Amino acid sequence: MKKERKDEELPLEKITEFKVDSSMKTKINKKISSELLNTIIDMKNSTVLNSFVDSYHPSNIAEALEELSEEKLLFFFKTVDSDDSAEIFTLLSQEKKEEVVSAFSNEDLQRIVSEMQLDNLVDFVDELPSNLVSKVLKATNKDNRNEISKYLNFKEDSAGTIMTSEYLEIEEDKTIKECIKKIREVGKEKETIWKIFAVDRTRVLVGTVTLDVLLENDEYKLIKDVMNKEIVSVYTNTDEEDVLRIFRKYDISILPVINSQGRILGIITFDDVIDVASEENTEDIQLQAHIIPTNKPYLKVSCLSLFKSYAIWIALMLFLDTFISIALSYLQTPLLMIPILLTILPSIMGTSGNSADQTATVTIRELAINDLSGKKYRKFFIKELKASVLTGLIISSVAFLWIFMEIKTGIIGDNNLDMKTVLYICLSASLTFFFCIVLGKTIGTLIPKLAKKVHIDPAMITSPVVSTMIDIISICAFVLISHFILKIPLF
């Protein structure tokens, strides 16, 4: 029976055999169909439903609940034990959470929110419509209401909005025995008991001590004698991206949040940072794809919202492309002197743009995960410059041979051109490739850094600016180089 439950979803005929088994230590991490969960709910048997929920991982239960009707959701959350239902509720989509909140009475809602961790409750309330916020706040106790109000006043996307106040602190002049006693008394209610934060009499953070250190030392030693005084912390207004960078830099799992006086206000744990990293990566991908970012899952976004996300950026690119058209209109006369030059120009523009995008993407990523300031940025810039020169030399050499072959075989242009003209055309194109690749990669390292310096998201501005600049530069450079080598007039 146990082996069957671990390997596959239970058949309907076996559901009635469920027994409440407190010895079960693991959760079955297997996808559950909405139909199966719906059938169990239809039995109206609380023992069977609770046993089923207790056997499966909460995330799989939450996924199955997404497809159920409001009536079934209400029965589920009214029937399932509050500890389990609170955890499952936090894993639902925002739309389903709002549906439950709207339908629940204050008493039923209180049963769920009272068991939710404070940081999850704050995140949930922060995304609710104003008419539902008051309903949730009425269902919370006074302490949680005060904490939620405090968190919602923090700067958006700052450390204050993702921290939790469910941490364990101890005064530095307490003994290890007193600390362990406190862990036993209140530890179950906290986010973590692995790291305890030592404070002085004014609640200023002075050190940290881990559970293993407490267990390894004499119980009558003072906390200040065993604590680690080297503290990595952030302020409440520290940006989420900087918080993520600190977690990566110091390879930590818990980070204290302090105010300007050094008093600890909360902690950020690694699971909160994983959510931040996922959101930041999604936002950067959307911005680089010229889409206005949205926090909603794709299937929950309306067609009108998608239209707005796409159309604004496309309209902006259309506007920027006007400058390319202007450059081309002023410089088309010299290019038409030798028509084959016009057939080569798109390759130069495309290759130069791609090379710039490569470096811009690397720069944006490095800015996101590392602190590229001072000597670090100069080192990064020099390395990219060397790579661009090497890339330019190789690509320009290949381009010379490739264009020569295209002309002589008649793939492009007139293969009746004399050898000298063909070689000059290849040389002009080759030099343009080299110049534009090197310059494009240089611009790709500068624009993101400048955007970061003026507090603009590099992912948002880099791609349209860089691509437009490189296209205009490619046109001008090709005409100028062709003017000097092929002796064609500029106007």
Side-chain angles (χ1 to χ4, degrees), residues 192-203:
T192 177
I193 59 170
W194 171 252
K195 182 173 284 189
I196 298 92
F197 299 89
V199 297
D200 63 17
R201 292 188 180 277
T202 62
R203 292 200 66 254

Side-chain angles (χ1 to χ4, degrees), residues 362-381:
V362 172
T363 307
I364 291 169
R365 185 59 181 162
E366 287 301 309
L367 286 171
I369 63 175
N370 294 308
D371 180 19
L372 288 184
S373 59
K375 290 183 179 179
K376 288 183 180 179
Y377 178 72
R378 285 195 292 272
K379 190 174 181 181
F380 173 81
F381 181 84

Side-chain angles (χ1 to χ4, degrees), residues 288 352-367 372 377 380-381 384-385 388 436-451 458 462-463 465-467 469-470 473:
Q288 285 180 289
S352 304
N354 288 336
S355 66
D357 285 341
Q358 285 177 333
T359 302
T361 301
V362 172
T363 307
I364 291 169
R365 185 59 181 162
E366 287 301 309
L367 286 171
L372 288 184
Y377 178 72
F380 173 81
F381 181 84
E384 282 296 320
L385 183 61
S388 70
C436 290
I437 288 173
V438 173
L439 187 61
K441 287 189 172 293
T442 302
I443 291 173
T445 61
L446 292 174
I447 296 296
K449 180 66 174 176
L450 291 173
T462 298
S463 184
V465 171
V466 168
S467 61
M469 289 179 65
I470 292 303
I473 289 170

Side-chain angles (χ1 to χ4, degrees), residues 418-437:
D418 61 273
M419 182 60 72
K420 182 179 178 182
T421 302
V422 171
L423 291 174
Y424 279 177
I425 290 172
C426 294
L427 180 60
S428 299
S430 178
L431 291 175
T432 307
F433 269 109
F434 176 79
F435 174 77
C436 290
I437 288 173

Side-chain angles (χ1 to χ4, degrees), residues 185-409:
E185 289 174 350
V186 299
K188 189 177 180 181
E189 304 167 4
K190 304 302 179 182
E191 180 87 7
T192 177
I193 59 170
W194 171 252
K195 182 173 284 189
I196 298 92
F197 299 89
V199 297
D200 63 17
R201 292 188 180 277
T202 62
R203 292 200 66 254
V204 171
L205 182 63
V206 293
T208 61
V209 59
T210 53
L211 188 58
D212 59 336
V213 171
L214 294 176
L215 297 175
E216 290 167 0
N217 282 276
D218 186 273
E219 63 180 6
Y220 294 105
K221 277 188 178 182
L222 298 179
I223 295 297
K224 63 183 178 183
D225 295 330
V226 298
M227 69 183 184
N228 179 11
K229 297 179 182 179
E230 296 179 4
I231 308 167
V232 179
S233 61
V234 293
Y235 294 105
T236 54
N237 61 351
T238 302
D239 189 85
E240 285 181 348
E241 288 191 29
D242 294 326
V243 171
L244 180 59
R245 193 175 294 117
I246 289 170
F247 266 87
R248 285 172 174 150
K249 180 178 180 180
Y250 294 101
D251 194 22
I252 52 179
S253 58
I254 304 169
L255 183 65
V257 181
I258 60 175
N259 62 13
S260 56
Q261 288 78 42
R263 294 186 177 90
I264 184 169
L265 299 179
I267 62 170
I268 300 171
T269 55
F270 71 92
D271 54 328
D272 299 317
V273 172
I274 289 173
D275 293 337
V276 172
S278 177
E279 290 172 5
E280 292 294 338
N281 288 337
T282 300
E283 182 180 313
D284 286 346
I285 290 169
Q286 289 172 332
L287 287 171
Q288 285 180 289
H290 307 153
I291 301 172
I292 295 177
T294 175
N295 293 325
K296 290 184 178 181
Y298 178 82
L299 294 178
K300 302 292 183 181
V301 179
S302 66
C303 289
L304 182 60
S305 297
L306 284 174
F307 160 73
K308 291 177 181 177
S309 297
Y310 298 156
I312 291 174
W313 276 106
I314 291 174
L316 175 62
M317 294 303 295
L318 178 63
F319 171 74
L320 292 174
D321 286 344
T322 302
F323 294 99
I324 300 172
S325 300
I326 292 171
L328 194 56
S329 66
Y330 276 98
L331 296 173
Q332 65 177 325
T333 302
L335 291 173
L336 289 173
M337 298 291 293
I338 305 178
I340 197 173
L341 296 179
L342 277 173
T343 64
I344 298 172
L345 182 58
S347 298
I348 295 173
M349 294 170 65
T351 303
S352 304
N354 288 336
S355 66
D357 285 341
Q358 285 177 333
T359 302
T361 301
V362 172
T363 307
I364 291 169
R365 185 59 181 162
E366 287 301 309
L367 286 171
I369 63 175
N370 294 308
D371 180 19
L372 288 184
S373 59
K375 290 183 179 179
K376 288 183 180 179
Y377 178 72
R378 285 195 292 272
K379 190 174 181 181
F380 173 81
F381 181 84
I382 292 170
K383 181 179 284 188
E384 282 296 320
L385 183 61
K386 290 178 179 177
S388 70
V389 171
L390 182 59
T391 304
L393 286 172
I394 299 298
I395 298 301
S396 61
S397 300
V398 172
F400 184 97
L401 297 173
W402 183 254
I403 294 171
F404 180 83
M405 183 273 292
E406 286 182 311
I407 296 173
K408 295 307 291 181
T409 56

